[in-house]
């Protein structure tokens, strides 16, 4: 599995440029392969998830999937659906709300 990270440069409150924050990246093909292969080593992904969503100050809460085929076309299809989702009747939104997952999946208020 080819894994990587992209450093982000930030300006601190003192005006000093730092680059200790990293967006964790996973190539789409590697992610797809891991999802389709029950024998794949998930520990690499566990490490990345911990680095991305863990409690360290450098954990940004982001994992970027790179090299997604046909991304511009998929984005054009997906973005208009966000408005449709948000405008569903409340009872339908309640069906896809998962408070037990702390709103990390499904509809989030």
């Amino acid at each position: 599995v080819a894994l990587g990270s992209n450093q982000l440069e930030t300006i601190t409150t003192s005006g000093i440029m730092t680059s200790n924050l990293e967006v964790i990246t996973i190539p789409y093909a590697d992610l797809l392969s891991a999802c389709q292969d029950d024998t794949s080593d998930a520990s690499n992904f566990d490490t990345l998830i911990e680095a991305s969503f863990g409690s360290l100050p450098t954990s940004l809460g982001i994992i970027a999937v790179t090299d997604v085929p046909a991304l511009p076309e998929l984005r054009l299809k997906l973005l208009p659906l966000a408005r449709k989702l948000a405008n569903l009747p409340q009872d339908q939104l309640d069906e896809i709300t998962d408070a037990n997952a702390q709103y990390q999946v499904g509809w989030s208020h």
Side-chain angles (χ1 to χ4, degrees):
V1 175
L3 308 171
S5 64
N6 293 323
Q7 288 193 347
L8 296 178
E9 291 187 339
T10 58
I11 299 176
T12 65
T13 55
S14 62
I16 299 170
M17 195 68 116
T18 63
S19 60
N20 59 342
L21 301 177
E22 295 182 1
V23 174
I24 303 298
T25 61
I26 302 174
Y28 176 79
D30 292 349
L31 185 60
L32 187 63
S33 175
C35 290
Q36 293 175 340
D37 182 8
D38 291 337
T39 63
S40 69
D41 181 16
S43 64
N44 287 334
F45 290 107
D46 290 344
T47 301
L48 289 176
I49 291 168
E50 179 65 30
S52 297
F53 298 99
S55 59
L56 295 175
T58 55
S59 298
L60 295 176
I62 298 171
I63 294 179
V65 179
T66 61
D67 306 319
V68 177
L71 180 61
E73 295 85 3
L74 294 170
R75 183 181 298 143
L76 286 174
K77 289 180 181 179
L78 178 64
L79 290 179
L81 296 177
R83 179 173 168 74
K84 285 184 176 184
L85 174 65
N87 288 320
L88 286 174
Q90 187 60 46
D91 61 321
Q92 288 182 311
L93 291 174
D94 290 341
E95 290 178 20
I96 58 172
T97 300
D98 189 353
N100 293 329
Q102 299 177 339
Y103 304 101
Q104 294 180 30
V105 296
W107 174 250
S108 177
H109 305 284

